[in-house]
């Protein structure tokens, strides 16, 4: 081979993929399809599935229509319900992993503890002490991943069983027990109806009520599934219909489109009005903020559950957790055998607690000390050749994260292709581009419902929402092609 042919041949990068939830599985498949085969795929646990592996609480389901919450290249005719249950989604992840040869590629039980950059190379070290040197790192570490235990006085004194929804303790028998659930978010709305069926008494500790959109979980019959198998076009059309509906109705409802917001507001308000008979209880369940300000809960069973005879909605604030239960502001002690913490996640951790260091030893904690910011959700300045999947400003009002990952994956592949063509060794986002992107996000936020005066996991510590404030269509269009002028490209001699 002469020198000229060496220079024009595509280089093959070594890439470390961290995490094998829906995003890591996708990246592994797509990189290999693109001919990038020198991959190290690291997973801290012993199987695939990410959030669908971690969460096993009763009632766990996805509130995005199942036929849309699938990879575009692996539609699934066999979903049992409109909103698939967790175990089924996990099986789907495992099936895709096996079918596309991802599972065999993954190094399981390999938690990454550090990721250090130096001149075009990342050195990734795992807890076991293994190190991998790579040209690129792709963090597929998820958003809602680190359970948040509430900082409530006395929490460690509770003598009964206590666990977070994302760490469900299946050894605890709930039958006939006095159970408390703290929280009334998307997770709690799924957990409470199931726990209520078993509990002797269930106390639901609500700090802030939520708006609920009443969509029933339609079951697909065997005949439906057979039709989808025989006619894949039906499946495609169904997916397109769901995509259209969420893009043009739900996503627009939360990003400043009044007719859509009016529609969903009316649906949620009528749901409360007609589902909850007792006026006093209804008022306790009525949010005082705009529909969509907190993530709209899609659920048809929560209101029925809180009206059961064995369920009490407690709205007096929690003062402390005692050895026997929970004491509320009215002085009552609610005695409990089991306490379930449905209190959400530390969603700003991203790839942390990993020790991640970019140029000149800059740590990710230092880089994000004032504000957690990224360019186009994927890039952090001074952390070259490193991508954060589903980073800040990725979440798009109630849309499928699988679809978002596919778009981000397409974007990353274009960047990698340029590296392969030797157009650079190091790619880093320009500080001005980050500033411009941050301004662009801020400008869009003012029209969204997230600035409607409610508290939610959508807000960063400064109270700024970290979602995409525009339409899905706009995001997809802008993510189609990287704007290369926004990057500083370096070639090492
Ligand atoms: P979340 O929406 O953050 O809700 C946490 C709940 O805990 C809230 O009701 C919160 O009250 C309450 N809470 C937290 N700390 C508390 C304290 N110290 N005292 C009293 N109450 C406290 O968490 P999540 O329900 O786990 O849902 C998080 C996200 O996960 C969802 O928005 C969604 O994106 C995702 N998720 C999705 C699905 C799905 O079907 N796709 C299902 C479950 C979850 P405040 O509202 O007052 O803060």
């Amino acid at each position: 081979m002469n020198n000229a042919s060496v220079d024009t041949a595509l280089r093959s990068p070594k890439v470390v993929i961290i995490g094998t939830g829906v995003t890591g599985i996708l990246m592994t498949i797509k990189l290999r399809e693109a001919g990038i085969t020198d991959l190290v795929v690291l997973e801290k646990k012993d199987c695939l599935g990410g959030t669908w592996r971690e969460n096993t609480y009763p009632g766990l389901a996805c509130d995005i229509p199942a036929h849309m919450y699938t990879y575009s290249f692996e539609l699934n005719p066999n979903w049992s319900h409109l909103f698939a249950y967790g175990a089924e989604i996990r099986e789907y992840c495992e099936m895709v992993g096996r079918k596309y040869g991802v599972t065999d590629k993954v190094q399981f039980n390999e938690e990454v503890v550090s990721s250090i950059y130096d001149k075009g190379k990342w050195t990734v070290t795992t807890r076991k002490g293994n190190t991998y040197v790579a040209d690129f790192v792709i963090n597929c570490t998820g958003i809602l991943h680190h359970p948040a235990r509430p900082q409530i006085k006395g929490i460690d004194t509770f003598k009964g069983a206590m666990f977070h929804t994302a760490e469900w303790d299946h050894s605890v028998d709930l039958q006939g027990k006095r159970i408390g659930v703290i929280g009334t978010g998307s997770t709690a709305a799924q957990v409470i109806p199931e726990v209520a069926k078993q509990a002797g008494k269930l106390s639901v500790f609500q700090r802030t009520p939520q708006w609920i959109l009443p969509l029933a979980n339609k079951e697909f019959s065997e005949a439906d599934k057979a039709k989808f198998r025989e006619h894949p076009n039906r499946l495609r059309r169904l997916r397109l219909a769901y995509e259209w509906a969420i893009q043009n109705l739900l996503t627009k409802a939360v990003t400043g489109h009044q007719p859509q917001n009016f529609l969903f507001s009316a649906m949620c308000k009528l749901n409360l009005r007609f589902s909850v008979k007792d006026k006093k209880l209804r008022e306790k369940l009525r949010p005082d903020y705009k529909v969509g300000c907190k993530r709209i809960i899609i659920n048809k069973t929560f209101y029925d559950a809180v009206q059961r005879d064995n369920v009490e909605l407690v709205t007096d604030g929690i003062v402390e957790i005692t050895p026997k239960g929970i004491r509320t502001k009215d002085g009552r002690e609610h005695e409990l055998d089991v306490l379930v913490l449905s209190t959400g996640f530390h969603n700003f951790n991203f790839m942390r607690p990993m020790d991640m260091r970019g140029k000149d030893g800059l740590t990710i904690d230092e880089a994000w000390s004032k504000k957690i910011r990224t360019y186009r959700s994927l890039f952090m300045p001074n952390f070259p050749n490193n991508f954060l999947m589903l980073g800040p400003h990725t979440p798009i009002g109630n849309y499928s994260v699988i679809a978002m990952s596919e778009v981000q994956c397409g974007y990353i592949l274009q960047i990698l292709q340029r590296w392969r063509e030797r157009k650079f060794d190091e790619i880093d986002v320009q500080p001005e581009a980050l500033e411009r992107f941050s301004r662009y996000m801020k400008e869009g936020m003012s029209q969204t419902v997230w600035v409607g005066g409610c508290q939610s996991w959508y807000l960063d510590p400064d109270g700024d929402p970290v979602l995409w404030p525009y339409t899905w269509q706009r995001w997809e269009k802008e993510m189609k092609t990287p704007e290369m002028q926004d990057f500083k490209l370096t070639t090492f001699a």
Side-chain angles (χ1 to χ4, degrees):
M1 204 182 277
N2 62 32
N3 283 343
S5 63
V6 169
D7 284 342
T8 52
L10 285 181
R11 292 190 281 185
S12 180
K14 186 173 186 97
V15 181
V16 170
I17 294 174
I18 305 175
T20 57
V22 290
T23 307
I25 296 171
L26 171 79
M27 281 311 306
T28 309
I29 295 171
K30 290 293 163 190
L31 259 57
R32 288 163 99 190
E33 281 179 4
I36 300 171
T37 53
D38 193 0
L39 301 180
V40 175
V41 188
L42 301 172
E43 167 56 55
K44 72 175 177 184
K45 293 285 180 67
D46 60 0
C47 59
L48 306 176
T51 198
W52 303 108
R53 174 201 61 221
E54 299 286 293
N55 285 278
T56 59
Y57 61 77
L60 171 68
C62 181
D63 64 5
I64 312 283
H67 294 89
M68 185 182 153
Y69 195 83
T70 48
Y71 298 111
S72 59
F73 53 89
E74 190 58 48
L75 301 190
N76 179 13
N78 299 317
W79 290 120
S80 67
H81 287 79
L82 168 62
F83 301 114
Y85 288 105
E88 209 177 349
I89 303 175
R90 180 176 161 175
E91 277 166 30
Y92 171 79
C93 292
E94 286 175 354
M95 179 278 290
V96 173
R98 282 192 305 274
K99 180 169 172 182
Y100 290 84
V102 176
T103 316
D104 290 343
K105 184 81 201 152
V106 181
Q107 290 168 236
F108 290 105
N109 301 308
E110 278 280 47
E111 184 188 355
V112 173
V113 289
S114 72
S115 206
I116 314 279
Y117 181 75
D118 186 35
K119 223 179 163 193
K121 299 283 179 195
W122 282 93
T123 301
V124 176
T125 306
T126 65
R127 193 167 293 286
K128 286 181 182 164
N130 295 323
T131 57
Y132 305 90
V133 177
D135 302 295
F136 291 91
V137 170
I138 307 178
N139 297 286
C140 300
T141 38
I143 317 173
L144 298 161
H145 178 44
H146 300 277
R149 263 166 69 101
Q151 308 281 308
I152 299 174
K153 186 181 153 202
I155 188 162
D156 293 322
T157 66
F158 183 62
K159 290 269 187 286
M162 179 173 69
F163 46 83
H164 190 277
T165 48
E167 295 162 338
W168 197 270
D169 185 347
H170 292 277
S171 70
V172 176
D173 180 14
L174 302 179
Q175 203 59 46
K177 297 276 167 59
R178 297 167 303 175
I179 303 171
V181 174
I182 302 181
T184 48
S186 301
T187 303
Q190 294 178 343
V191 164
I192 286 164
E194 293 307 309
V195 170
K197 289 179 197 162
Q198 298 181 57
K201 163 97 198 273
L202 171 62
S203 306
V204 174
F205 296 89
Q206 172 189 277
R207 188 165 64 181
T208 315
Q210 300 260 8
W211 287 115
I212 300 181
L213 188 66
L215 295 183
N217 198 2
K218 173 188 156 58
E219 187 169 353
F220 290 99
S221 66
E222 286 312 313
D224 291 331
K225 295 179 204 169
K227 275 188 203 141
F228 288 140
R229 282 193 292 271
E230 279 162 37
H231 308 285
N233 273 340
R234 275 187 185 214
L235 199 54
R236 269 180 225 115
R237 280 202 300 272
L238 183 67
R239 181 187 169 94
L240 284 174
Y242 289 138
E243 284 176 349
W244 185 91
I246 298 192
Q247 285 170 19
N248 293 298
L249 300 175
L250 200 42
T251 299
K252 287 192 175 173
V254 289
T255 53
H257 299 77
Q258 290 316 318
Q260 287 88 336
N261 189 270
F262 180 79
L263 172 72
F264 285 102
S265 297
M267 286 169 81
C268 292
K269 287 173 186 172
L270 289 172
N271 182 32
L272 178 61
R273 172 66 189 81
F274 291 108
S275 303
V276 182
K277 293 182 187 59
D278 179 69
K279 203 164 172 230
K280 233 165 131 190
L281 179 64
R282 202 188 303 144
E283 291 318 306
K284 284 183 173 184
L285 289 163
R286 186 185 302 284
D288 63 358
Y289 53 82
K290 283 189 204 157
V291 171
C293 184
K294 284 174 182 282
R295 185 184 164 102
I296 298 176
I297 293 181
I298 296 173
N299 182 291
K300 195 102 175 42
T301 52
F302 175 78
Y303 284 151
D304 286 346
V306 292
Q307 292 176 88
R308 288 172 64 118
D309 290 341
N310 66 334
V311 178
E312 181 185 2
L313 183 77
V314 181
T315 54
D316 289 299
I318 296 173
V319 174
E320 62 173 338
I321 297 178
T322 67
K324 285 195 203 156
I326 290 185
R327 192 182 309 284
T328 45
K329 276 188 184 147
D330 57 355
R332 244 175 101 190
E333 185 172 30
H334 304 258
E335 293 196 4
L336 303 169
D337 305 307
V338 181
L339 178 54
V340 176
L341 309 174
S342 188
T343 43
F345 298 87
H346 294 295
N347 54 304
F348 289 98
N349 281 20
F350 293 106
M351 77 300 279
R352 297 180 286 182
M354 180 196 305
D355 176 15
M356 185 167 152
R357 290 164 197 255
K359 280 182 181 166
D360 302 321
L362 179 75
T363 67
I364 190 67
D365 288 342
E366 286 163 352
W368 281 350
S369 62
K370 288 210 182 86
K371 196 147 183 89
I372 293 172
R373 296 199 304 169
T374 51
Y375 166 79
R376 294 226 168 266
S377 309
L378 292 167
F379 291 89
M380 298 144 284
N382 293 309
F383 293 84
N385 297 17
N386 194 302
F387 307 100
L388 174 58
M389 294 293 283
L390 304 180
H393 298 296
T394 298
I396 298 166
N398 284 64
Y399 210 76
S400 158
V401 291
I402 298 187
M404 298 172 206
S405 302
E406 290 194 3
V407 171
Q408 292 184 329
C409 180
Y411 186 104
I412 290 173
L413 281 172
Q414 293 177 61
I415 301 277
L416 295 183
Q417 181 62 19
R418 287 175 167 86
W419 184 93
R420 299 184 77 190
E421 292 164 358
R422 296 162 201 276
K423 294 196 169 133
F424 66 88
D425 293 322
E426 178 187 274
I427 181 166
D428 197 2
V429 65
Q430 303 272 16
E432 311 81 72
L434 175 70
E435 293 306 326
R436 208 178 322 116
F437 184 71
S438 299
R439 276 200 304 277
Y440 178 46
M441 291 298 96
K442 212 172 168 73
E443 280 159 22
M445 285 310 163
S446 56
Q447 64 189 353
T448 70
V449 286
W450 308 311
V451 290
C454 74
Q455 188 49 247
S456 78
W457 70 263
Y458 289 169
L459 307 180
D460 73 8
D462 298 328
D464 294 324
V466 286
L467 288 81
W468 173 255
Y470 305 105
T471 61
W472 164 267
Q473 290 89 336
R474 186 153 165 183
W475 188 71
E476 204 179 17
K477 186 165 164 240
E478 291 183 13
M479 290 294 290
K480 219 160 214 114
T481 317
E483 293 140 299
M484 293 311 291
Q485 69 278 10
D486 285 349
F487 298 100
K488 181 167 181 253
L489 304 180
T490 307
T491 303
F492 301 118

